[in-house]
């Protein structure tokens, strides 16, 4: 049973504890600030901004800047400062990049920046080996600014779980930044279709034919982007009263400059695989189709649509 005297001593000790500074109970949190910025390096931009514009094949520089806001003489060091970048993965005109700076004993700061692309089917692709860390290896009085290239393992961490860089000292002389490069990639293919009556020399976008005529269709496709298009598929939707002539499909491209016969007859029923095409490569598919000889006399507008697909690209 607590005596009156011991109870008074307990109360006095509790009162004394309540008068001690907060630092005696717990370590004060370090204050960090951070900002994410982007610049179009291909366009010569040298100032990081909240957003920038970029076209296919241009390079964008991304910088995640951070700083320990505590006073230089405070002795408050941010332990295990960690940097993390989250890059967009889907194609689209607006590409949002997120950056995060944190530490074991500090607040977490998140920021973002946008890269505006010209085409819906463009995206940003990380350029391996471009992650660098600029920081002061010297002192407050004698700064020694260095730029270190992150290792492959550190790059992977930067883009996933976050990479621990340092114990961040207070004062602007110890501000630092991590920067990477991104390239604008576009999966894009153009396609045109022409027709002629068998025996004619000139290809046209439209022509006049009679019932029973055999037509030749020419599909021209080109990789207009800056990525390799793999397993490109060509398909054609035939109009009513026109029937594909089996065994007439041919392909011409860089690997087959004289043209080859395609054994598949699926160009009008699902499509055919014409291989892979590097940026700028062109290919041609042509085949024959016959107009129904029993078509009643009159004028008809026959429209058929050609399509090309590589991955998630459809034209």
């Amino acid at each position: 049973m607590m005596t009156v005297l011991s109870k008074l001593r307990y109360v006095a000790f509790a009162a004394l504890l309540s008068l001690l500074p907060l630092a005696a109970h717990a370590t004060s949190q370090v204050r960090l600030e951070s900002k994410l910025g982007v610049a179009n390096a291909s366009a010569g931009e040298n100032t990081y901004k909240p957003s920038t514009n970029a076209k296919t094949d241009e390079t964008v520089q991304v910088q995640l800047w951070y700083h320990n806001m505590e006073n230089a003489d405070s002795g408050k060091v941010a332990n295990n400062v960690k940097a993390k970048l989250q890059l967009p993965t889907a194609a689209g005109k607006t590409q949002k990049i997120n950056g995060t700076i944190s530490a074991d004993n500090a607040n977490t700061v998140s920021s973002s920046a946008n890269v505006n692309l010209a085409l819906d089917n463009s995206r940003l692709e990380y350029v391996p080996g471009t992650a660098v860390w600029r920081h002061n290896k010297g002192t407050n009085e004698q700064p020694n600014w260095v730029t270190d290239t992150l290792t492959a393992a550190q790059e992977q961490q930067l883009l996933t779980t976050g990479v621990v860089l340092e114990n961040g000292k207070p004062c602007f002389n110890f501000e630092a930044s991590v920067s990477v490069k991104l390239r604008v990639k576009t999966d894009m293919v153009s396609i045109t279709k022409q027709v002629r009556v068998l025996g004619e020399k000139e290809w046209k976008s439209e022509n006049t034919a009679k019932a029973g005529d055999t037509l030749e269709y020419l599909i021209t496709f080109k990789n207009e982007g800056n990525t390799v298009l793999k397993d490109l598929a060509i398909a054609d939707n035939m109009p009513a009263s026109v029937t594909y002539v089996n065994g007439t499909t041919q392909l011409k491209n860089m690997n087959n400059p004289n043209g080859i016969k395609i054994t598949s007859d699926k160009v009008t029923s699902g499509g055919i695989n014409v291989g892979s095409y590097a940026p700028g490569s062109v290919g041609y598919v042509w085949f024959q189709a016959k107009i129904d000889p029993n078509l009643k006399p009159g004028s008809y507008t026959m429209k058929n649509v050609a399509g090309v697909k590589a991955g998630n690209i459809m034209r």
Side-chain angles (χ1 to χ4, degrees):
M1 185 173 185
M2 183 181 292
T3 65
V4 175
L5 180 60
S6 62
K7 185 175 182 181
L8 289 174
R9 287 175 181 172
Y10 175 79
V11 172
F13 176 76
L16 177 63
L17 188 65
S18 66
L19 295 175
L20 291 176
L22 182 61
H25 300 282
T27 303
S28 297
Q29 189 179 55
V30 175
R31 297 171 301 151
L32 295 177
E33 63 177 339
S34 176
K35 182 184 298 183
L36 187 71
V38 289
N40 186 329
S42 297
E45 292 182 354
N46 53 20
T47 301
Y48 291 100
K49 302 176 294 183
S51 67
T52 190
N53 301 322
K55 297 178 291 187
T56 298
D57 217 35
E58 289 188 330
T59 300
V60 174
Q61 189 92 9
V62 181
Q63 183 195 70
L64 180 58
W65 171 89
Y66 65 92
H67 164 240
N68 181 339
M69 298 174 64
E70 302 298 339
N71 293 330
D73 58 356
S74 67
K76 294 183 178 180
V77 175
N79 298 326
N80 297 320
V81 174
K82 180 185 288 187
K84 179 181 177 180
L85 286 177
Q86 183 179 3
L87 306 180
T89 57
K93 286 187 175 181
T94 300
Q95 299 280 296
K96 184 178 181 179
I97 305 166
N98 295 310
T100 302
I101 288 292
S102 61
D104 292 347
N105 60 334
N107 58 312
T108 297
V109 187
S110 298
S111 54
S112 63
N114 290 334
V115 179
N116 304 310
L117 307 182
L119 302 171
D120 285 328
N121 53 332
S122 292
R123 65 184 189 279
L124 292 176
E125 184 177 279
Y126 178 71
V127 181
T130 62
V132 294
W133 174 39
R134 184 179 183 273
H135 59 115
N136 177 13
K137 292 184 68 173
T139 64
N140 189 12
E141 295 74 18
Q142 293 182 313
N144 177 24
W145 294 100
V146 296
T147 300
D148 294 329
T149 300
L150 299 190
T151 66
Q154 288 175 319
E155 276 191 321
Q156 180 67 18
Q157 292 173 342
L158 174 66
L159 302 176
T160 53
T161 59
V163 58
V164 174
L165 297 171
E166 64 172 335
N167 292 326
K169 299 177 183 178
C171 183
F172 261 111
N173 273 346
F174 292 102
E175 65 176 335
S177 64
V178 177
S179 62
V180 301
K181 290 182 179 179
L182 309 176
R183 179 165 286 115
V184 182
K185 292 287 187 175
T186 304
D187 302 318
M188 183 168 62
V189 58
S190 63
I191 185 170
T192 59
K193 185 173 180 180
Q194 296 173 296
V195 63
R196 67 185 180 187
V197 175
L198 183 64
E200 292 181 347
K201 293 184 178 181
E202 184 180 356
W203 293 100
K204 301 176 181 178
S205 58
E206 59 182 38
N207 72 337
T208 301
K210 303 186 298 294
D213 279 349
T214 297
L215 305 175
E216 285 187 299
Y217 288 104
L218 174 66
I219 300 172
T220 303
F221 53 94
K222 181 180 180 181
N223 184 346
E224 303 278 7
N226 62 341
T227 62
V228 175
L229 299 178
K230 299 180 179 180
D231 295 323
L232 205 63
I234 299 294
D236 188 271
N237 182 18
M238 299 297 294
S241 304
V242 179
T243 305
Y244 169 76
V245 179
N246 289 336
T248 60
T249 302
Q250 297 185 66
L251 169 67
K252 182 178 179 180
N253 55 24
M254 181 180 293
N255 297 324
N256 306 285
N258 296 320
I260 59 170
K261 187 174 182 179
I262 300 297
T263 57
S264 173
D265 285 320
K266 293 185 177 181
V267 66
T268 60
S269 58
I272 58 174
N273 189 322
V274 294
S276 299
Y277 292 79
S281 297
V282 181
Y284 309 87
V285 168
W286 67 96
F287 58 90
Q288 296 178 11
K290 190 176 182 64
I291 300 177
D292 185 353
N294 298 315
L295 199 63
K296 294 181 179 179
S299 298
Y300 298 86
T301 299
M302 297 181 179
K303 182 179 181 180
N304 60 334
V305 179
V308 57
K309 183 178 181 181
N312 63 340
I313 305 303
M314 188 71 188
R315 290 289 183 272

